[in-house]
Amino acid sequence: MPADLSPTARALRTLETLQARPGVTAGELAATLGVTERAARRYVGILREAGIPVESARGPYGGYRLGRGTRLPPVAFTEPEALGLVMAVLDGQPAASDVDDLVGAALSKVIRALPESVGRQAAALRAHASAAPDPRSARPDPATTGTLVAAAAGRRRLVITYRSESGNEWEADVDPWAVVVRHGRWYLLCHSHRADAIRTYRVDRIHAVRQTAHTFDPPGDLDPVAALEENLGTGWNFPTRVVFDAPPAEVAPWIRPPMGRLEPSGEGCVLTGSTSNPAMYAQEWLACVPLAFRVEGGPELRAAVATLASRFAAAVADRP
C-alpha cells in the first residue's frame, strides 16, 4: 500500500478489509495497511467512533469483524474492477450496451454511481465496445431464475410449468438442487417426482413456478456441474454407441460428459449415450477425437457419420 495515504484512506481500506475478510487479526490488518499493529487498532477505533460496530474476539480464532446490521457506505470500485465488471456484463449480455435493455439499465445506474475518473472509462468502454451475441445463449426471466435459486438455497420443493422445444407443456413437482449456467444457457438441475429421476430443465422454458410447503435434502456429494454434464448425455431420442480400440485412459480426455458414459470393453472401451442431434454429435464431437473408432449405433448417428465421411472424402477426391 502507498506510504503517503491519508488516515481517512487507511480507515476506508480498513473497512474494506473487514468486509472482505471477517475475522482478520490485528497483525494481518497491519500487514494489509502497511502499518504497525498499534496503528491498525487505531484505525479500527476510528471506524467505531464513526458509528460502525466492529466486534473483536481474543484467542486463536479471534479477530475483527463487522457487527450484524452494519449500515455500510456505497460500494467503491477501482478502475480495473469497474472496467472488469462492464466487460463481464457485455460478454454475458451483449444487449446490455442498449440502455433500454433490463441489464443495460442496471449497468447504467452502476456507471452513474461511479466517481467521474472511474465512470468515464467505464462509460466509454460500454459505449464503444461491441459484443457478438452467443447464438446458443438463452436469457431466462430474472424473477423466475431468482425464485429457483432461492428455492435451491432454502431446499423447498417447487411445482414448475415447463414447455418443451416441441411446444408440449406440463407441470412437475421438483426438488431444485441447483441452477447451473453452461455455454450461455441456464439449467435447473433437479429431482423430478413426475419422472422419479434426475432431470435438467432449461430455465428459459420454465413459464411458472410455485413453491410448496415440502422440503428436501440434496445428495450430500452433489457436484452440480458434473451431474448436469452427465445428465445431458442421457434420455435423448437417438441412442449412441461408439467403440474404441484404445484403453479408457487414452480416450477419456477427448470425451465430454454429454457424449455419454465411457466404460471398459475388452482391451478398449465403449461410449454409450444418446443425443437429440446426431449431425452435431458427429460433426462437433466425434470428428474432434483423434483416435480410431467404430460407430455401432444407433442408425441415426451412423447415417450422420456416413454423411460427414462422404463430405470429407469428396473434399480431397481428384477431379476428373
Side-chain angles (χ1 to χ4, degrees):
M1 178 176 292
D4 58 347
L5 284 182
S6 68
T8 301
R10 290 189 190 277
L12 290 174
R13 185 60 60 90
T14 299
L15 177 59
E16 183 180 280
T17 303
L18 293 175
Q19 289 179 258
R21 299 166 57 190
V24 64
T25 66
E28 293 168 338
L29 183 58
T32 300
L33 298 175
V35 298
T36 64
E37 289 191 23
R38 181 178 179 182
R41 285 191 284 270
R42 186 166 64 249
Y43 290 121
V44 170
I46 292 174
L47 294 179
R48 287 170 171 163
E49 290 175 4
I52 298 175
V54 181
E55 301 172 350
S56 60
R58 298 182 180 276
Y61 302 104
Y64 294 110
R65 67 183 66 245
L66 295 174
R68 291 184 178 275
T70 303
R71 293 178 61 85
L72 299 178
V75 177
F77 294 104
T78 64
E79 183 174 307
E81 289 172 341
L83 297 179
L85 177 61
V86 174
M87 292 170 66
V89 172
L90 292 177
D91 181 56
Q93 178 88 348
S97 58
D98 183 356
V99 296
D100 294 326
D101 177 75
L102 179 64
V103 177
L107 184 59
S108 295
K109 294 180 180 180
V110 172
I111 292 175
R112 286 197 299 269
L114 295 172
E116 184 178 357
S117 59
V118 178
R120 188 186 311 113
Q121 288 276 22
L125 175 62
R126 188 262 190 91
H128 299 289
S130 299
D134 184 347
R136 296 174 298 177
S137 66
R139 305 298 172 192
D141 176 60
T144 299
T145 306
T147 301
L148 296 175
V149 171
R155 300 183 176 184
R156 288 282 184 181
R157 185 176 300 174
L158 299 173
V159 177
I160 64 171
T161 302
Y162 191 80
R163 184 175 301 147
S164 68
E165 185 175 9
S166 61
N168 295 326
E169 187 171 299
W170 67 85
E171 281 193 348
D173 286 31
V174 301
D175 295 340
W177 290 352
V179 173
V180 183
V181 185
R182 178 182 181 275
H183 301 317
R185 286 181 177 167
W186 294 66
Y187 294 90
L188 173 66
L189 175 69
C190 63
H191 177 267
S192 169
H193 292 272
R194 179 175 183 264
D196 192 22
I198 299 175
R199 287 291 184 263
T200 53
Y201 294 116
R202 288 259 301 268
V203 176
D204 59 299
R205 293 178 182 165
I206 296 176
H207 292 271
V209 181
R210 187 174 73 254
Q211 192 174 102
T212 73
H214 300 286
T215 60
F216 68 91
D217 290 317
D221 58 349
L222 177 66
D223 181 336
V225 175
L228 177 81
E229 292 280 2
E230 181 176 352
N231 189 256
L232 287 176
T234 61
W236 300 105
N237 296 335
F238 306 111
T240 61
R241 179 180 173 85
V242 183
V243 178
F244 297 87
D245 293 330
E250 189 175 341
V251 178
W254 302 98
I255 303 303
R256 300 173 56 184
M259 295 173 70
R261 185 182 299 276
L262 189 66
E263 297 177 323
S265 177
E267 296 182 358
C269 55
V270 60
L271 175 66
T272 56
S274 62
T275 180
S276 63
N277 191 336
M280 180 278 297
Y281 195 107
Q283 296 172 18
E284 298 185 17
W285 290 350
L286 284 183
C288 295
V289 179
L291 301 168
F293 58 82
R294 301 185 306 280
V295 180
E296 295 187 349
E300 297 83 6
L301 181 59
R302 286 176 57 85
V305 172
T307 299
L308 181 62
S310 297
R311 284 175 50 202
F312 283 175
V316 295
D318 293 331
R319 302 186 68 176

